[in-house]
């Protein structure tokens, strides 16, 4: 049982909860996920099953697409609806929402929420928060490629955003609120896409439990990567280098288009094996 499984993660479960559920349903311990989703979030969660777990590091997509809703007038310690209220401000209307959203496009520094799994000095940030310990949270460089207003109803603003890996949408919601003059928090989040994997191709947990699903092959999962074809598969099986001037990672395939490995430059005019996928 090997392949990629696209799951529409339900709210109320951690990404690891979904992995554990899949291990029981599919009767295998070899299940891993590509990119964590917050427990309250829903949407695209890419799972690698069996031998496909070897591909995990290469399917951690650089770009994500989300639809989020923020609420103006209330801030929480977790930056979402699950937290304790930290600040409130009466809502008296807001202007220039579209222009404010557009001002976030581009590369920028973002401070992650303290209720996150980022490690500082070997300890996760949320552990500092739960122990009420002070910790300096360093900003991280993120990239907002696109952002657009979907709807606005009183204090609730729904928007869609395409961003780099590592972007915290909870922090983005808080920052948007500040720019509009209000404390804010995120109330809803859906991951619509993770790289080239889309929500419309995902299965619900109920679908999978009932056997209504199909694995995605490595060939389909890697179709958007650059391919390098070889005649002799033994080159890959024995971990041999390939003479080439290519200066980036490629997916090595046989003449039947079967994915064999990921190779990368060694700096000396050759491609070397990074990970065999057979």
């Amino acid at each position: 049982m090997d392949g990629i499984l696209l799951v529409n993660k339900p709210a109320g479960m951690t990404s690891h909860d979904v992995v554990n559920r899949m291990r029981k349903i599919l009767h295998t311990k070899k299940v891993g996920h590509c990119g964590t989703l917050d427990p309250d979030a829903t949407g695209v969660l890419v799972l690698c099953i069996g031998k496909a777990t070897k591909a995990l590091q290469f399917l951690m997509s650089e770009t994500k697409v989300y639809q989020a809703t923020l609420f103006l007038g209330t801030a929480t310690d977790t930056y979402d609806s699950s937290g304790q209220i930290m600040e409130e401000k009466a809502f008296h209307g807001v202007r220039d929402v579209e222009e404010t959203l557009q001002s976030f496009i581009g590369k920028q520094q973002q401070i992650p929420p303290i209720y996150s799994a980022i490690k500082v000095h070997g300890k996760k940030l949320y552990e500092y928060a739960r122990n009420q310990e002070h910790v300096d949270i360093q900003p991280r460089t993120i990239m907002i490629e696109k952002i657009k207003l979907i709807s606005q109803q009183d204090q609730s603003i729904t928007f869609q955003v395409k961003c780099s890996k590592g972007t915290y949408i909870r922090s983005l919601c808080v920052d948007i609120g500040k720019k509009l003059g209000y404390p804010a928090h995120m109330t809803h989040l859906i991951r619509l896409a993770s790289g080239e994997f889309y929500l419309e191709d995902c299965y619900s947990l109920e679908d999978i439990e009932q056997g209504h699903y199909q694995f995605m092959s490595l060939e389909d999962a890697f179709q958007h990567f650059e391919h390098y074809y070889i005649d002799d598969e033994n080159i890959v099986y024995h971990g041999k280098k390939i003479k080439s001037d290519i200066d980036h990672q490629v997916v090595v395939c046989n003449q039947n288009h079967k994915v064999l490995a990921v190779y990368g430059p060694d700096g000396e005019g050759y491609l070397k094996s990074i990970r065999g996928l057979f």
Side-chain angles (χ1 to χ4, degrees):
M1 186 174 290
D2 310 299
I4 314 300
L5 189 56
L6 304 183
V7 177
N8 181 357
K9 190 191 86 65
M13 296 181 72
T14 67
S15 298
H16 193 64
D17 288 339
V18 175
V19 168
N20 284 336
R21 183 91 161 263
M22 289 302 101
R23 285 172 176 162
K24 292 178 181 178
I25 294 172
L26 303 175
H27 306 292
T28 178
K29 292 182 179 180
K30 298 188 73 173
V31 181
H33 68 80
C34 305
T36 302
L37 266 177
D38 286 341
D40 290 341
T42 66
V44 181
L45 186 66
V46 181
L47 301 183
C48 294
I49 317 295
K51 292 181 180 179
T53 53
K54 296 178 180 179
L56 269 171
Q57 68 188 95
F58 308 108
L59 299 178
M60 298 284 188
S61 304
E62 293 299 319
T63 58
K64 320 279 186 182
V65 179
Y66 296 94
Q67 181 168 303
T69 300
L70 66 85
F71 184 84
L72 297 171
T74 307
T76 69
D77 55 356
T78 59
Y79 293 7
D80 62 16
S81 300
S82 68
Q84 299 294 316
I85 294 175
M86 303 297 288
E87 183 183 358
E88 293 183 281
K89 180 180 177 179
F91 183 70
H92 298 294
V94 68
R95 299 173 57 187
D96 303 325
V97 173
E98 183 69 68
E99 291 82 358
T100 299
L101 292 178
Q102 294 303 310
S103 71
F104 282 88
I105 290 179
K107 187 176 289 188
Q108 59 204 266
Q109 296 291 298
Q110 183 187 72
I111 298 178
I114 190 166
Y115 280 91
S116 63
I118 295 172
K119 286 189 176 181
V120 176
H121 305 307
K123 189 158 64 173
K124 294 176 180 177
L125 285 179
Y126 66 74
E127 293 177 319
Y128 287 98
R130 289 173 180 173
N131 295 331
Q132 297 184 336
E133 297 176 345
H134 174 75
V135 59
D136 289 323
I137 305 176
Q138 296 300 312
R140 307 201 302 177
T141 301
I142 64 162
M143 177 72 177
I144 304 295
E145 295 186 26
K146 295 179 182 178
I147 188 167
K148 67 176 181 179
L149 178 65
I150 301 298
S151 65
Q152 178 187 349
Q153 186 173 8
D154 298 326
Q155 292 163 265
S156 292
I157 296 172
T158 298
F159 63 95
Q160 191 177 114
V161 58
K162 182 177 182 181
C163 56
S164 62
K165 178 176 67 176
T167 301
Y168 276 89
I169 307 302
R170 283 180 287 149
S171 291
L172 180 60
C173 287
V174 169
D175 291 341
I176 291 170
K178 286 179 181 177
K179 208 158 190 177
L180 290 170
Y182 291 93
H185 68 277
M186 187 182 75
T187 59
H188 193 61
L189 181 67
I190 308 170
R191 183 149 71 194
L192 302 176
S194 178
E196 300 297 331
F197 304 110
Y198 302 97
L199 183 58
E200 54 263 33
D201 299 319
C202 292
Y203 298 97
S204 69
L205 294 183
E206 291 72 24
D207 288 334
I208 298 168
E209 286 179 327
Q210 294 169 16
H212 303 316
Y213 67 90
Q214 282 188 322
F215 286 124
M216 177 183 289
S217 67
L218 285 179
E219 286 68 36
D220 287 337
F222 280 103
Q223 64 179 315
H224 299 285
F225 288 67
E226 183 176 339
H227 288 52
Y228 186 99
Y229 294 94
I230 58 173
D231 295 315
D232 184 3
E233 295 184 16
N234 287 319
I235 292 173
V236 171
Y237 294 148
H238 294 119
K240 294 181 179 179
K241 292 184 178 183
I242 301 171
K243 187 169 181 59
S244 173
D245 293 329
I246 293 175
D247 63 357
H248 50 272
Q249 288 185 4
V250 294
V251 174
V252 176
C253 306
N254 65 16
Q255 293 302 313
N256 293 321
H257 302 279
K258 180 183 178 181
V259 169
L260 302 174
V262 174
Y263 269 56
D266 70 352
E268 298 178 356
Y270 286 86
L271 292 172
K272 65 178 180 179
S273 178
I274 298 175
R275 187 68 193 262
L277 301 175
F278 48 84

